[in-house]
Amino acid sequence: MSEAGIGSGQGTRAWLLSEYPASRMQARLGRAYATWLRFAANRLAVVGLAILIALVLVATFAGVLAPHSPYAGDLAGARLLPPLSPGHLLGTDDQGRDILSRLIYGSRLTLAVVLMVAVLTAPVGLLVGTVAGYAGGIIDTALMRVTDIFLAFPKLVLALALVAALGPGIENAVIAIAITSWPPYARMARAETLAVRHADYIDAIRLMGASPLRIVLRHVMPMCLSSLIVRVTLDMAGIILIAAGLGFLGLGAQPPAPEWGAMIASGRRFILDQWWVATMPGMAILIVSLGFNLVGDGLRDALDPREAER
Amino acid sequence: MSPTVAAASRTGSRPAARLWRPLLGLIRFAAVVATTFLGLLAVTFFIGRVIPVDPVLAVLGDRAPASAMERVREEMGLNLPLWQQFVLYVRQALSGDFGTSVLTTNAVMDDIRRVFPATIELATLGTLIGTGLGVPLGVLAAVKRGSLTDQIVRVIGLVGYSVPIFWLALLSLLIFYARLGWVAYPGRIGVAFEYSFTSTTGLYLLDALWQGEWEVAWDVFRHIILPASLLGYFSLAYISRMTRSFMLNELGQEYIVAARAKGLSEARIIWCHALRNAAVPLVTVIALSYANLLEGSVLTETVFSWPGLGLYITNSLQNADMNAVLGGTLVIGATFIGINLLSDLLYRLLDPRTHAR
Amino acid sequence: MTPMLTVEDLAISFATRTGRFEAVRGVSFTLGRERLGIVGESGSGKSLTGRAIMGLTPPSADVTARRLAFDGIDLLTAPPAQRRALRGARLSMVLQDPKYSLDPVMSIGRQIVETLRTHERVSRREARERALDMLAAVQIENPARVFDLYPHEVSGGMGQRAMIAMMLIANPELLIADEPTSALDVTVQLEVLGILDRLVTDRGMGLIFISHDLRLVSSFCDRVLVMYAGRVVEEIAAAELAHARHPYTRGLLACVPVPGHDRHPLPVLDRRPEWRL
């Protein structure tokens, strides 16, 4: 690390943005910083990031933040109170439960679903795609055929059928969504792999005697990562919507869990007179999934300046 | 599936090869479609027969008498090995036999035939709305790139991507039906006309207009416009975004510079050159969004009590009617494949580079 | 005689993150009904100069000049509609690669007709006749067949001829040819140049020929501007090129291989920072 590196803020910045990095780490950090600058220049993306950070914080500190219990309501005294009622900022539902508290606790479910699906699907898609793309031939054809079959199903409908067979519940909803979500990642990873497969540097690595496994793991997969991250981030919005849709149909999280989609379903009966019961959880879903979309959009522009040029 | 097929038929150098290449392409194409469809069946078979502990229970529910259980077990061939069961399943599915619905006691295929036109009508109108508004908005955003208009179009699109459709449906019902009274609800047609009006194609709006029943047509329109607009908004979000991206790509091409050098007006450059080129990939996008609307209709139909395939599937789900659920799933999957085929055909029609000479 | 085109102190700059980037500075020349070559390496600003005359610089470019006039019309103050009316009709431009500069989904004939019908009120039938004549004029053997072909169906040389036909059909007075043969096979290059040469001579047009190939330009043009890093470093009659004074021009000339001579080491082009000033 260069000596001039640490010092004033200005110095750090100059060190990061140096055209002549002295070490590999400096180059890497510098590139990350340049990406961050491009990301931060996009105001909408920063808004999205703020939403996501808020989501994580709210989910983590739900116990502290929530003014009431998400499960126990005051059936006698506080049924269907409108928003801005004393003690109930967003009103209460038909069982006298505080909607705000339920939303705060529900953020945990939402975050859990999204993370679970991402953890389950992204590696699978990456593996299938890179292996298919690198191996080629019959393996490629077979894997892509399977991928195409899953792509031929509309996501939500397939997830519905799966949950119908597996039985309702949030774990099964996650499994069903995961099964329907990996094919696009596989397709994308395969396309990226095909693009780098015959690059000279891969040939060079092969000449040096690297095994196919090493080539795929160390040299092909990293090339796919940035587009995969963008894609996964953008898809998280869709995952939230599908999970909420399953919840709305009564196939996701079961009552009394404060899942946002299920909350909309239970508020549906009162939509004409007590509009807030269904409206508030919908707003929550909208904001969070908008956050993922904004961040994904910003990431794409920041990670791929070529694409942003368009 | 489209790139392989296009590539297969695009090449062709020697005269002999030119003659039978397209035929080979066709055979390959058919093989791809067949395997995809077979795969579809395999997936539904797996969901229906392998996942449940007792498929008979899944089909009949737990209140059925033991004799019925035994009969169904026989019918489904559950005592056969799994692969024979699958062959039987495929044979039944290909002959349009998806079993009987517990809920309606009809053959699932008959039920689907009855409800599917409602979904088609809704999704088609939705796509028309989405394309009619989405393409011009996308073009506008691309042309005025970076401007306020561009930002607004972008936000409209992003919200469309992010909003739960069933929630928006509920809110719009609250506003446009309950508060303003502009639209009709529920279903496809008012009680006043339900029995006097006979639809031959199952597409009410078209039939009403065709028969010159203006009053009926207006009533049908008041029923369909809200759900169709909602679906339209979703396809608009997708289509406007893709249109913008395709248009920006085309506007950066050299032939646009050449068109300017010729002295063409901006309007002509945008609509006759750039959009005409962008239309080639757009066809695929529009087809895809149509297919997505079939899916989006599941939730929308549930909220609007629209008697289509989506409502049929969710109703069956709530009653654990597996035959109906899987039949509906299969039909939607098959429609997906069909739409993809169609978009592939259209693509080649629009792009002279894929024409065989 | 007043010149057809006057360029005085032309400057083109772009705003970048690190400040203003001046791509072209202080370029001045005049042009009559003659052939002017502009030579330079890539990035020297030669193409931008051509596009600025056409009014086709990207929106992010800032174009200024003491004077930029075509036939007495001040191009910088002319309203966009007037500039558009000039383009294709009086000022025209041939681009580098027909593979990209022809609209891929419109038949060649329709693209040629489009230019004509934009600038002249002619019937469909007459426009077709004239397009066919124009295709014949660029020495395409079977105009009627080529008329209905799409750009991807013809060779590069054929495509560039179609491009020339499209740009000349409205009888412009000045043609800017931006590397018109660089994307073509060597064997076709001379053919296309010959066609361009004849058309320009026969019609008494002015020509700005932009190229990186000094030898080609010197054999084809009357006068040569040598550009380096956005500036004109030398203006010289093509015949006098052997007596070029500027070291950069001489360096470019020295890069031209001479058959039969084996030179070791190969000369490296000298690029001194002070020439940028």
Side-chain angles (χ1 to χ4, degrees):
Chain A
M1 201 184 289
S2 76
E3 293 164 47
I6 314 136
S8 63
Q10 194 59 42
T12 316
R13 189 184 145 87
W15 181 77
L16 281 170
L17 289 178
S18 165
E19 294 276 328
Y20 308 100
S23 67
R24 209 196 265 196
M25 194 185 72
Q26 184 184 359
R28 239 177 235 162
L29 286 175
R31 222 171 27 195
Y33 184 63
T35 306
W36 163 249
L37 283 183
R38 278 199 299 270
F39 182 84
N42 181 346
R43 224 178 309 160
L44 284 175
V46 175
V47 171
L49 187 64
I51 292 174
L52 296 193
I53 291 175
L55 173 72
V56 172
L57 290 180
V58 166
T60 315
F61 300 107
V64 185
L65 290 170
H68 298 273
S69 155
Y71 301 113
D74 179 3
L75 265 174
R79 276 192 79 229
L80 296 168
L81 290 179
L84 300 178
S85 305
H88 302 285
L89 192 63
L90 299 182
T92 59
D93 67 5
D94 56 320
Q95 298 184 36
R97 296 175 297 198
D98 180 47
I99 291 179
L100 178 63
S101 305
R102 282 178 69 74
L103 288 184
I104 289 173
Y105 274 95
S107 67
R108 286 184 171 174
L109 288 173
T110 300
L111 202 59
V113 166
V114 164
L115 290 181
M116 286 299 292
V117 172
V119 166
L120 286 174
T121 55
V124 172
L126 190 62
L127 194 71
V128 170
T130 47
V131 167
Y134 191 76
I138 190 113
I139 299 178
D140 182 25
T141 314
L143 285 176
M144 281 305 113
R145 214 71 325 242
V146 173
T147 311
D148 276 352
I149 287 162
F150 278 93
L151 278 176
F153 274 111
K155 266 185 175 182
L156 177 69
V157 174
L158 182 57
L160 280 180
L162 275 166
V163 176
L166 293 168
I170 196 144
E171 300 87 359
N172 289 343
V174 167
I175 292 170
I177 296 172
I179 288 177
T180 58
S181 297
W182 64 271
Y185 306 146
R187 281 242 138 214
M188 202 190 60
R190 175 176 175 269
E192 299 262 325
T193 308
L194 286 182
V196 298
R197 185 179 156 200
H198 293 297
D200 289 341
Y201 81 91
I202 295 287
D203 285 339
I205 298 161
R206 196 177 302 133
L207 280 175
M208 285 162 72
S211 67
L213 183 71
R214 189 184 165 84
I215 295 177
V216 168
L217 279 181
R218 296 292 304 272
H219 300 280
V220 174
M221 279 190 183
M223 299 305 287
C224 312
L225 268 186
S226 69
S227 31
L228 189 74
I229 290 172
V230 169
R231 185 63 202 254
V232 168
T233 315
L234 285 173
D235 272 5
M236 288 197 168
I239 290 166
I240 291 176
L241 294 184
I242 292 188
L246 289 176
F248 179 70
L249 293 174
L251 297 167
Q254 294 301 300
E259 198 273 330
W260 296 345
M263 284 170 72
I264 298 179
S266 67
R268 187 182 168 187
R269 276 173 294 148
F270 318 108
I271 187 77
L272 294 185
D273 299 311
Q274 285 88 24
W275 53 270
W276 59 89
V277 183
T279 305
M280 295 307 171
M283 288 299 272
I285 297 171
L286 171 61
I287 290 169
V288 169
S289 102
L290 194 61
F292 277 108
N293 270 326
L294 290 175
V295 169
D297 241 24
L299 271 182
R300 182 180 48 199
D301 292 356
L303 287 173
D304 190 357
R306 203 165 21 102
E307 193 69 23
E309 264 304 296
R310 291 181 166 189
Chain B
M1 70 190 76
S2 48
T4 45
V5 179
S9 58
R10 204 178 298 149
T11 46
S13 38
R14 285 164 301 145
R18 204 175 298 162
L19 250 175
W20 73 284
R21 273 272 166 75
L23 194 68
L24 191 76
L26 209 69
I27 291 170
R28 206 156 153 189
F29 195 55
V32 167
V33 173
T35 42
T36 313
F37 194 73
L38 209 62
L40 224 66
L41 284 168
V43 172
T44 50
F45 175 76
F46 187 79
I47 295 174
R49 301 288 172 84
V50 184
I51 297 181
V53 183
D54 185 352
V56 177
L57 214 62
V59 168
L60 284 185
D62 46 9
R63 266 161 294 176
S67 60
M69 290 247 191
E70 207 39 56
R71 188 173 45 78
V72 171
R73 197 178 300 276
E74 199 71 25
E75 264 174 31
M76 289 167 76
L78 286 173
N79 30 22
L80 300 171
L82 208 57
W83 70 269
Q84 281 186 10
Q85 287 186 38
F86 183 58
V87 170
L88 189 69
Y89 179 77
V90 170
R91 202 177 302 149
Q92 284 177 345
L94 287 183
S95 61
D97 176 11
F98 298 136
T100 320
S101 158
V102 184
L103 192 62
T104 63
T105 66
N106 297 328
V108 170
M109 198 58 202
D110 292 340
D111 278 344
I112 289 175
R113 207 170 284 143
R114 186 168 43 79
V115 297
F116 202 34
T119 300
I120 294 285
E121 186 176 37
L122 191 58
T124 307
L125 192 59
T127 305
L128 287 179
I129 293 172
T131 310
L133 295 175
V135 170
L137 276 179
V139 170
L140 197 70
V143 170
K144 307 211 165 209
R145 181 187 167 190
S147 69
L148 185 68
T149 320
D150 186 16
Q151 291 289 327
I152 292 173
V153 173
R154 185 179 172 137
V155 170
I156 290 177
L158 277 174
V159 170
Y161 270 95
S162 312
V163 71
I165 187 167
F166 50 94
W167 176 73
L168 201 59
L170 278 176
L171 287 195
S172 64
L173 260 185
L174 171 66
I175 296 169
F176 295 107
Y177 167 71
R179 296 280 149 89
L180 298 173
W182 289 357
V183 299
Y185 170 85
R188 304 177 72 181
I189 191 166
V191 190
F193 304 105
E194 203 169 353
Y195 299 100
S196 61
F197 175 68
T198 47
S199 168
T200 44
T201 59
L203 307 172
Y204 284 15
L205 198 56
L206 226 57
D207 279 336
L209 290 173
W210 182 254
Q211 294 167 12
E213 300 271 3
W214 308 121
E215 236 178 304
V216 180
W218 174 241
D219 182 67
V220 170
F221 178 79
R222 279 178 19 113
H223 277 87
I224 199 173
I225 189 63
L226 194 55
S229 301
L230 271 170
L231 290 178
Y233 176 45
F234 282 81
S235 85
L236 175 154
Y238 181 46
I239 289 173
S240 69
R241 195 181 164 95
M242 296 313 277
T243 306
R244 176 182 183 273
S245 146
F246 293 149
M247 279 298 283
L248 283 178
N249 185 30
E250 295 300 334
L251 287 172
Q253 301 290 324
E254 278 287 288
Y255 72 84
I256 296 293
V257 178
R260 292 215 171 92
K262 282 158 78 171
L264 303 188
S265 67
E266 277 306 297
R268 192 170 170 90
I269 289 171
I270 290 162
W271 298 102
C272 298
H273 287 276
L275 185 60
R276 176 64 184 75
N277 274 278
V280 177
L282 255 185
V283 168
T284 315
V285 164
I286 292 172
L288 202 64
S289 93
Y290 187 82
N292 282 334
L293 286 199
L294 287 181
E295 164 177 88
S297 67
V298 172
L299 289 165
T300 315
E301 287 178 6
T302 310
V303 174
F304 286 97
S305 305
W306 187 264
L309 190 55
L311 188 66
Y312 180 69
I313 291 179
T314 49
N315 271 342
S316 312
L317 267 174
Q318 247 111 40
N319 293 282
D321 187 355
M322 267 323 257
N323 276 345
V325 172
L326 292 179
T329 308
L330 208 55
V331 166
I332 289 190
T335 316
F336 247 56
I337 299 180
I339 289 171
N340 273 329
L341 289 181
L342 204 69
S343 85
D344 205 54
L345 271 173
L346 267 174
Y347 185 99
R348 287 189 245 171
L349 223 66
L350 279 174
D351 190 348
R353 280 163 292 192
T354 59
H355 293 183
R357 282 243 173 204
Chain C
M1 181 187 101
T2 54
M4 179 160 57
L5 179 75
T6 314
V7 179
E8 252 178 66
D9 202 16
L10 175 72
I12 304 168
S13 61
F14 296 87
T16 66
R17 201 159 54 115
T18 48
R20 229 152 229 296
F21 171 68
E22 303 216 307
V24 171
R25 290 158 301 161
V27 169
S28 303
F29 62 89
T30 59
L31 183 79
R33 296 192 182 276
E34 58 178 328
R35 280 176 252 189
L36 174 74
I38 301 184
V39 197
E41 298 171 87
S42 58
S44 62
K46 53 189 194 313
S47 286
L48 263 181
T49 304
R51 292 197 178 191
I53 296 165
M54 291 295 293
L56 294 178
T57 45
S60 52
D62 187 13
V63 181
T64 59
R66 201 160 344 118
R67 188 164 162 71
L68 183 65
F70 172 78
D71 195 23
I73 303 162
D74 185 347
L75 293 178
L76 286 184
T77 55
Q82 191 185 3
R83 291 207 83 171
R84 194 167 65 227
L86 283 176
R87 282 202 288 269
R90 301 189 63 191
L91 281 168
S92 200
M93 182 159 85
V94 172
L95 298 160
Q96 182 171 352
D97 193 342
K99 214 164 38 199
Y100 302 112
S101 52
L102 290 171
D103 185 337
V105 299
M106 194 185 264
S107 73
I108 286 171
R110 278 187 56 202
Q111 295 191 49
I112 298 174
V113 164
E114 194 182 31
T115 312
L116 188 61
R117 286 176 64 103
T118 304
H119 299 290
E120 291 177 37
R121 293 186 66 89
V122 287
S123 67
R124 242 166 241 281
R125 176 190 290 267
E126 196 192 337
R128 187 187 158 87
E129 286 306 314
R130 280 183 55 187
L132 289 173
D133 288 347
M134 195 65 224
L135 282 172
V138 292
Q139 294 177 19
I140 282 174
E141 281 181 15
N142 191 345
R145 193 180 76 87
V146 174
F147 189 92
D148 289 319
L149 291 183
Y150 286 93
H152 72 280
E153 294 170 314
V154 300
S155 66
M158 183 89 86
Q160 198 60 313
R161 290 183 212 192
M163 178 86 197
I164 293 171
M166 177 169 95
M167 289 306 180
L168 292 187
I169 192 161
N171 291 315
E173 294 141 67
L174 172 63
L175 180 71
I176 297 171
D178 189 354
E179 305 260 16
T181 58
S182 307
L184 305 181
D185 289 343
V186 183
T187 45
V188 188
Q189 283 189 358
L190 288 178
E191 257 176 68
V192 170
L193 274 180
I195 292 165
L196 197 59
D197 184 28
R198 178 138 3 105
L199 287 169
V200 169
T201 315
D202 289 353
R203 296 169 176 225
M205 293 162 54
L207 173 73
I208 296 179
F209 189 89
I210 297 170
S211 172
H212 61 277
D213 188 339
L214 184 58
R215 201 168 41 150
L216 190 71
V217 168
S218 63
S219 67
F220 192 67
C221 299
D222 309 316
R223 218 155 31 102
V224 180
L225 290 181
V226 181
M227 284 187 74
Y228 176 71
R231 301 188 69 95
V232 176
V233 292
E234 185 152 23
E235 179 174 353
I236 193 167
E240 302 287 308
L241 209 58
H243 310 295
R245 281 206 301 274
H246 196 278
Y248 181 71
T249 318
R250 297 174 71 97
L252 282 180
L253 280 169
C255 290
V256 178
V258 184
H261 287 251
D262 187 15
R263 289 188 301 176
H264 270 295
L266 278 172
V268 174
L269 198 53
D270 197 7
R271 301 181 177 91
R272 293 208 197 127
E274 63 261 31
W275 301 339
R276 295 173 173 272
L277 302 176

